[in-house]
Amino acid sequence: MVREITRDIKQLDCAKRNLTLAITTLNHLHMLVGGVDTLKSLTQKRLYGEIALPLQAISEVMTHFENYSDIPQIKSLSSQVNSIRSELAHQITHDFKEAFLGSNSKSMIPNKQLAQACLVVSILDPKVKHDLLKWFVNLQLQEYNHLFQETEDTAWLDKMDKRYAWIKRHLLEFEERLGNMFPENWEVSERIAVQFCHDTREELSRLMAKRKSEIDVKLLLYAIQKTSAFETLLSKRFRGVTIEDSSSPSQRTEGDLNTSKFHGLIGRCFIPHLEIYIESIDRNLADLIDRFIQDEKQTKPTEATETQAAILSSCPDLFVFYKKSMIQCCQLDRGQSMLSLTAVFQKYLHEYAEKLLTNNLPKFETQTLGSSVQSFTKDLQKMSTTGLIQNFSSLLKEGETTRFTRDEQTKICCILTTAEYCLETTQQLQDKLKEKIEPNLADQIDLSKEQDHFHKVISNCIQLLVQDLENACEPSLTAMSRIQWQNIDAVGDQSPYITSITTHLKTTVPVVRDNLAHSRKYYTQFCIKFANSFIPKFIQIIYKCKPINTEGAEQLLLDTHMLKTVLLNLPSIASAINRQAPAAYAKVVTKGMTKAEMILKVVMTPIDPPKNFADQCRVLLPECQLTEFCKILEMKSVKRQEQAVLIDAFKNKK
């Protein structure tokens, strides 16, 4: 029923649509027929000001008849419109060439007819505007290309400023004389500037390839500086809307989003020659390292202050030079040149680590304890405990090994903190280089080997400081092993060799601590390495204290306990501030010195019955091996046949 009711309405709607379309089409056809005649007349009279609007209207009407192109009359009208458009394109192009190349071109002033012709060109096929502008822009640069052709003196890099002076002057003259003739959205001034950049880049590329041997770094950087300044000027004056961004990824990167399109428009031509710049950086760094080496020979080692770590003054200078070079190179090229610069940086970081740090570390002079210690220990054998305490210190001095002076200790600390500074700054340098270089090359930046060099220097410094402290304690340990421990008849205060070791620790450690005040991590490492090296040596010396009687073992146990107390306090020894030792260090000392105490407690245990002795050894020294067990028996002077029984008991217990 609804369909029946609405059937007539649908018919009426369809008829209305068809009628409306027919009327609209007839109106358009009327406009087209009349418009074509009008356009023909206006074109012949060159009345461009009156052509623009009807031409625009007819172009829009023609789109309405695209579906009717098979109708002969429509086809004929379409052909006439195309013919008019073609005639206008030819005619306007001719008018421009006549105006700018004809006999009166010298006195040519912008006229209204050409300005109106530009409005017509904007409606025609875009190719017409493109070809007209291309011709006009090339015409504007004719004089430039003649004045600066490669045979002229002005063409070479040392006259770069003259090129840019010419275009600046020419653009000012153009805008003053002809600027108003062209529509603003044609951006004619910018087009002239952009084409100037393209022409200049291509010409310079050819010229530099031919005269490569004449380019030095000073000349290259001068040309780049003038070019960069000019590109910056263009970026402030123009928007860059006419620049076709045809550059490859190696020329433009994600980081260029905030960079002007003019950046590198000319400057790209210098990139193939930047190896000259990289080579100069290499030479400058070689000279800088040589100067650092000479300066280092004449300066005293720097000491740390409360606010600043002691580092070689050459170190910040090196990284300041690196930073300036990186910024400069980044402005020139963020591609392969940055990789080449990184390789140069790596080379001189290695050289700095080798020549300024490793080669300046003090060296030990090898020296044996000599006859003085031998005669000294012979005297010890004849002394009682009392005599030992009274004469130990004076005799001990005769047997001291070569030590580093305070200045040498300070120098080692200074080199350590310099290496630490280099280590941290090299990491920052790597991060910066990755940030500055083109993203697709960032993975190729890796300064881990250079960081390893500085790690190695730090380890060497710590090892030297540890060795120096061990050398200080060596005579005391040697003397300790030569004491006739079986002759000790009474336990007294701590023995002089412990006092001597303590004195050396109090003298040396504060120097290291003060100079590594800003490197607590490495100071703690120094303490741990010393403990890890010194305590096993001390234990080996205990095994050499043979034969030993009970009083001797008690005296040695007292000495060991006193040394343990001193070592636990080592990180803050002789300091006004009594800071608790780092947990990692305290653990090493406690474990090592407790073992030394336990060895002596086992030595003091009666060997009879054998099983009890073996049990006690197992309880006090759970990790004791057979070789150590045998050493303990030697300390107690156990006879061979008794040793066999005890060894069996030890093995069975195991």
Side-chain angles (χ1 to χ4, degrees):
M1 190 174 70
V2 171
R3 275 200 299 273
E4 188 68 26
I5 293 168
T6 57
R7 187 178 59 197
D8 294 342
I9 296 171
K10 282 184 178 178
Q11 260 187 325
L12 286 170
D13 280 346
C14 182
K16 183 184 175 185
R17 274 198 307 276
N18 289 340
L19 189 60
T20 303
L21 182 62
I23 293 168
T24 304
T25 304
L26 283 170
N27 276 335
H28 284 158
L29 188 60
H30 177 70
M31 284 171 61
L32 189 60
V33 172
V36 166
D37 291 338
T38 305
L39 279 178
K40 281 180 181 174
S41 170
L42 293 173
T43 301
Q44 286 169 356
K45 294 174 184 175
R46 283 183 160 77
L47 296 173
Y48 300 129
E50 297 174 36
I51 288 175
L53 283 174
L55 181 63
Q56 179 72 40
I58 283 175
S59 297
E60 288 170 8
V61 167
M62 280 306 300
T63 59
H64 181 79
F65 288 103
E66 281 175 359
N67 297 329
Y68 305 101
S69 57
D70 53 337
I71 298 172
Q73 290 89 335
I74 299 298
K75 192 174 183 180
S76 170
L77 284 168
S78 175
S79 176
Q80 287 179 57
V81 170
N82 288 337
S83 176
I84 291 167
R85 291 167 72 93
S86 178
E87 175 63 25
L88 280 169
H90 176 76
Q91 191 171 293
I92 291 170
T93 303
H94 177 269
D95 289 352
F96 265 91
K97 289 186 177 178
E98 183 61 32
F100 287 97
L101 294 176
S103 54
N104 297 323
S105 60
K106 296 282 183 186
S107 57
M108 186 267 171
I109 54 170
N111 58 66
K112 193 174 179 183
Q113 188 183 41
L114 288 181
Q116 290 169 342
C118 290
L119 299 176
V120 175
V121 170
S122 294
I123 301 164
L124 298 175
D125 187 326
K127 187 177 182 300
V128 179
K129 175 183 164 185
H130 176 270
D131 291 347
L132 181 65
L133 281 172
K134 186 178 179 183
W135 166 82
F136 182 77
V137 168
N138 285 332
L139 180 68
Q140 294 301 304
L141 293 172
Q142 243 180 13
E143 182 188 326
Y144 168 71
N145 289 324
H146 175 73
L147 288 173
F148 293 90
Q149 60 187 313
E150 65 176 75
T151 52
E152 299 295 325
D153 288 343
T154 48
W156 192 227
L157 302 182
D158 59 344
K159 304 287 194 307
M160 290 297 289
D161 54 337
K162 292 189 182 299
R163 289 177 181 269
Y164 303 136
W166 184 92
I167 188 65
K168 284 188 270 190
R169 189 170 60 249
H170 184 79
L171 283 173
L172 285 171
E173 287 172 4
F174 165 76
E175 286 178 5
E176 190 179 321
R177 198 163 71 92
L178 301 172
N180 292 332
M181 194 172 82
F182 296 96
E184 197 174 320
N185 64 356
W186 280 25
E187 305 281 359
V188 179
S189 289
E190 182 181 304
R191 289 177 190 277
I192 295 169
V194 169
Q195 190 58 46
F196 167 86
C197 291
H198 290 316
D199 290 356
T200 303
R201 185 181 68 248
E202 287 168 15
E203 183 61 28
L204 287 174
S205 294
R206 281 195 299 271
L207 198 57
M208 286 191 289
K210 284 184 181 177
R211 299 172 64 175
K212 192 172 182 179
S213 60
E214 298 174 46
I215 306 171
D216 61 29
V217 70
K218 190 176 176 184
L219 184 63
L220 183 68
L221 289 179
Y222 168 79
I224 290 171
Q225 179 198 356
K226 291 291 179 186
T227 302
S228 180
F230 175 68
E231 288 172 345
T232 303
L233 184 71
L234 290 183
S235 68
K236 289 176 181 173
R237 171 65 181 82
F238 301 115
R239 294 179 297 151
V241 290
T242 67
I243 298 174
E244 292 176 18
D245 197 358
S246 58
S247 53
S248 67
S250 65
Q251 294 161 345
R252 300 191 74 80
T253 67
E254 292 170 21
D256 286 331
L257 293 175
N258 298 322
T259 305
S260 156
K261 288 184 181 180
F262 286 95
H263 178 71
L265 206 54
I266 300 173
R268 289 204 298 274
C269 68
F270 299 114
I271 290 174
H273 302 275
L274 284 177
E275 74 242 21
I276 297 169
Y277 166 72
I278 301 297
E279 285 163 10
S280 81
I281 294 288
D282 193 312
R283 288 194 300 275
N284 288 342
L285 277 168
D287 294 343
L288 199 62
I289 294 289
D290 288 343
R291 198 188 83 209
F292 289 162
I293 292 167
Q294 294 307 314
D295 290 350
E296 192 53 37
K297 288 174 183 173
Q298 297 161 13
T299 44
K300 281 191 73 177
T302 316
E303 291 196 25
T305 64
E306 282 185 20
T307 54
Q308 200 169 356
I311 56 171
L312 298 178
S313 58
S314 57
C315 185
D317 292 349
L318 177 72
F319 284 105
V320 164
F321 184 90
Y322 273 19
K323 184 181 178 185
K324 285 180 180 175
S325 304
M326 180 176 64
I327 291 169
Q328 191 175 38
C329 186
C330 185
Q331 291 167 346
L332 306 177
D333 175 34
R334 292 174 55 186
Q336 281 298 132
S337 303
M338 285 289 275
L339 278 182
S340 302
L341 184 70
T342 301
V344 172
F345 284 174
Q346 288 172 301
K347 174 183 172 183
Y348 288 99
L349 284 172
H350 179 74
E351 286 216 2
Y352 191 85
E354 197 65 35
K355 294 180 178 178
L356 270 298
L357 302 183
T358 301
N359 289 359
N360 275 317
L361 283 171
K363 292 172 181 61
F364 286 111
E365 293 174 24
T366 26
Q367 180 179 320
T368 56
L369 294 179
S371 57
S372 56
V373 173
Q374 290 172 12
S375 61
F376 157 53
T377 47
K378 282 177 188 173
D379 292 337
L380 281 177
Q381 292 166 16
K382 300 169 190 171
M383 281 191 240
S384 67
T385 309
T386 317
L388 170 68
I389 292 166
Q390 288 170 350
N391 298 291
F392 187 91
S393 298
S394 59
L395 288 167
L396 189 59
K397 286 178 184 173
E398 296 174 28
E400 284 188 353
T401 54
T402 305
R403 290 287 316 281
F404 286 139
T405 63
R406 184 189 172 97
D407 275 356
E408 286 173 326
Q409 291 167 349
T410 301
K411 188 166 196 174
I412 295 168
C413 292
C414 178
I415 288 172
L416 188 154
T417 47
T418 303
E420 182 186 16
Y421 177 90
C422 290
L423 186 63
E424 291 170 0
T425 314
T426 300
Q427 180 60 51
Q428 293 165 11
L429 178 67
Q430 177 179 292
D431 295 343
K432 267 293 177 204
L433 285 165
K434 280 179 177 284
E435 178 190 312
K436 297 286 184 188
I437 201 167
E438 289 167 5
N440 59 314
L441 298 175
D443 289 345
Q444 295 182 48
I445 303 284
D446 181 12
L447 303 185
S448 56
K449 281 186 181 175
E450 289 62 45
Q451 291 179 65
D452 289 344
H453 289 320
F454 295 119
H455 271 302
K456 189 178 171 187
V457 172
I458 291 169
S459 295
N460 288 348
C461 290
I462 292 171
Q463 194 54 49
L464 281 175
L465 293 169
V466 168
Q467 199 178 336
D468 180 50
L469 194 50
E470 283 183 352
N471 284 353
C473 301
E474 193 73 38
S476 303
L477 294 179
T478 305
M480 167 187 162
S481 68
R482 303 291 174 88
I483 294 172
Q484 298 296 309
W485 290 100
Q486 79 274 25
N487 294 340
I488 303 293
D489 50 18
V491 180
D493 294 332
Q494 70 177 31
S495 299
Y497 69 87
I498 295 295
T499 306
S500 174
I501 290 172
T502 306
T503 302
H504 284 303
L505 297 179
K506 283 182 177 176
T507 308
T508 304
V509 173
V511 176
V512 177
R513 183 177 60 232
D514 291 347
N515 281 292
L516 297 184
H518 301 278
S519 304
R520 296 294 304 177
K521 174 172 68 172
Y522 295 118
Y523 174 63
T524 301
Q525 275 188 32
F526 157 73
C527 293
I528 291 172
K529 279 197 176 183
F530 173 71
N532 271 325
S533 179
F534 174 77
I535 294 172
K537 280 186 182 177
F538 179 73
I539 289 171
Q540 291 311 311
I541 295 294
I542 286 177
Y543 285 132
K544 288 182 181 179
C545 295
K546 57 185 182 181
I548 189 167
N549 62 16
T550 305
E551 287 80 4
E554 286 178 355
Q555 179 64 47
L556 197 46
L557 182 60
L558 171 73
D559 293 341
T560 302
H561 179 73
M562 298 303 281
L563 183 60
K564 180 182 178 181
T565 306
V566 171
L567 287 175
L568 281 171
N569 186 46
L570 182 75
S572 58
I573 197 169
S575 170
I577 303 163
N578 193 9
R579 190 182 291 180
Q580 192 172 0
Y585 170 77
K587 187 179 176 183
V588 170
V589 172
T590 304
K591 185 181 177 185
M593 293 305 288
T594 301
K595 180 180 178 181
E597 289 173 331
M598 293 305 108
I599 289 167
L600 292 168
K601 285 185 179 178
V602 173
V603 169
M604 291 160 65
T605 304
I607 59 171
D608 208 18
K611 184 180 178 303
N612 287 1
F613 181 76
D615 287 348
Q616 184 70 344
C617 185
R618 277 275 162 232
V619 171
L620 296 176
L621 295 167
E623 296 174 9
C624 183
Q625 300 298 315
L626 184 59
T627 50
E628 287 185 297
F629 184 72
C630 291
K631 285 179 183 178
I632 290 170
L633 297 182
E634 285 174 20
M635 285 180 75
K636 291 177 72 65
S637 300
V638 179
K639 293 172 184 173
R640 287 283 176 191
Q641 63 219 42
E642 291 175 328
Q643 276 190 22
V645 178
L646 290 163
I647 287 168
D648 285 343
F650 179 78
K651 284 180 178 176
N652 292 337
K653 183 64 185 169
K654 188 175 182 182

